[in-house]
């Protein structure tokens, strides 16, 4: 399974592409950060993010997209930009006809490190180790995007099987 993970941000949006199967270390395909200038018009920043993510989806042809779920922050202005970037990320996957799943930061941390309260340094260290990299991915936005992709590979596959079984049971059929 090839997953494109997106750590949404308006100024810096991390994107990581990982290939793998649940329970095994994944293979790094690539990672990127899409930048925009804070003093640019918001419409142009969102358009740049949309076209950049669309290009990365087309280039890497992922099987699915994993996006970090926006959580409440104290700074309303920051959370608004993150929410807008998150919507663009979800749209990029949807537009390509791909399944899109969102994960909270603590879900991602727990999947990658075993602790939902792990710090950024611990997440980056584990991503580096799990993907067998010589050096940590920089900046942290890229490492977070790779962690999202790993989380989806490990948890998303299980989640998809559970949802498929539930749908089958609702239809009255049992799949073996």
């Amino acid at each position: 399974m090839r997953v494109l993970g997106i750590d949404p941000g308006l100024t810096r949006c991390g994107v990581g592409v990982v290939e793998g199967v649940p329970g095994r270390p994944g293979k790094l395909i690539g990672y990127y950060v899409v930048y925009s200038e804070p003093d640019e018009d918001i419409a142009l920043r969102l358009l740049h993010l949309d076209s950049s993510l669309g290009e990365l989806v087309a280039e890497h042809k992922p099987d699915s997209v994993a996006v970090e779920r926006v959580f409440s922050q104290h700074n309303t202005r920051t959370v608004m930009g993150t929410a807008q970037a998150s919507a663009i990320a979800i749209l990029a996957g949807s537009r390509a006809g791909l399944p899109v799943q969102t994960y909270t930061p603590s879900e991602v941390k727990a999947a990658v490190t075993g602790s939902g309260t792990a710090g950024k340094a611990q997440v980056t260290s584990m991503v580096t180790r799990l993907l067998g990299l010589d050096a940590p991915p920089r900046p942290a936005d890229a490492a977070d995007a790779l962690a999202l992709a790993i989380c989806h590979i490990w948890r998303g596959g299980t989640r998809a099987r559970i949802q498929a079984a539930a749908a089958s049971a609702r239809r009255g059929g049992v799949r073996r």
Side-chain angles (χ1 to χ4, degrees), residues 4 51-62 92 96 98:
L4 190 128
S51 63
S52 297
L53 292 177
E55 289 169 10
L56 289 169
V57 167
E59 177 184 341
H60 291 288
K61 298 177 182 23
L98 299 171

Side-chain angles (χ1 to χ4, degrees), residues 20-145:
V21 295
R24 298 195 182 223
K27 176 184 173 193
L28 172 69
I29 303 301
Y31 63 87
Y32 314 85
V33 177
V34 179
Y35 294 94
S36 74
E37 294 298 323
D39 58 347
E40 261 189 341
D41 180 70
I42 186 69
L44 294 176
R45 293 174 78 187
L46 292 171
L47 183 60
H48 170 67
L49 181 58
D50 181 48
S51 63
S52 297
L53 292 177
E55 289 169 10
L56 289 169
V57 167
E59 177 184 341
H60 291 288
K61 298 177 182 23
D63 299 306
S64 58
V65 175
V67 180
E68 184 173 279
R69 187 175 302 150
V70 178
F71 61 99
S72 178
Q73 295 175 325
H74 298 294
N75 186 339
T76 308
R77 188 171 176 201
T78 302
V79 79
M80 287 300 293
T82 304
Q84 291 167 325
S86 178
I88 297 296
I90 292 168
L91 180 61
S94 297
R95 185 179 289 136
L98 299 171
V100 178
Q101 184 68 51
T102 60
Y103 296 93
T104 65
S106 52
E107 282 179 294
V108 175
K109 292 173 185 179
V112 173
T113 70
S115 170
T117 60
K120 282 202 177 277
Q122 192 175 358
V123 170
T124 299
S125 174
M126 285 303 295
V127 164
T128 303
R129 196 154 143 222
L130 290 169
L131 295 177
L133 306 178
D134 295 331
R138 298 276 183 232
D141 308 277
D144 290 347

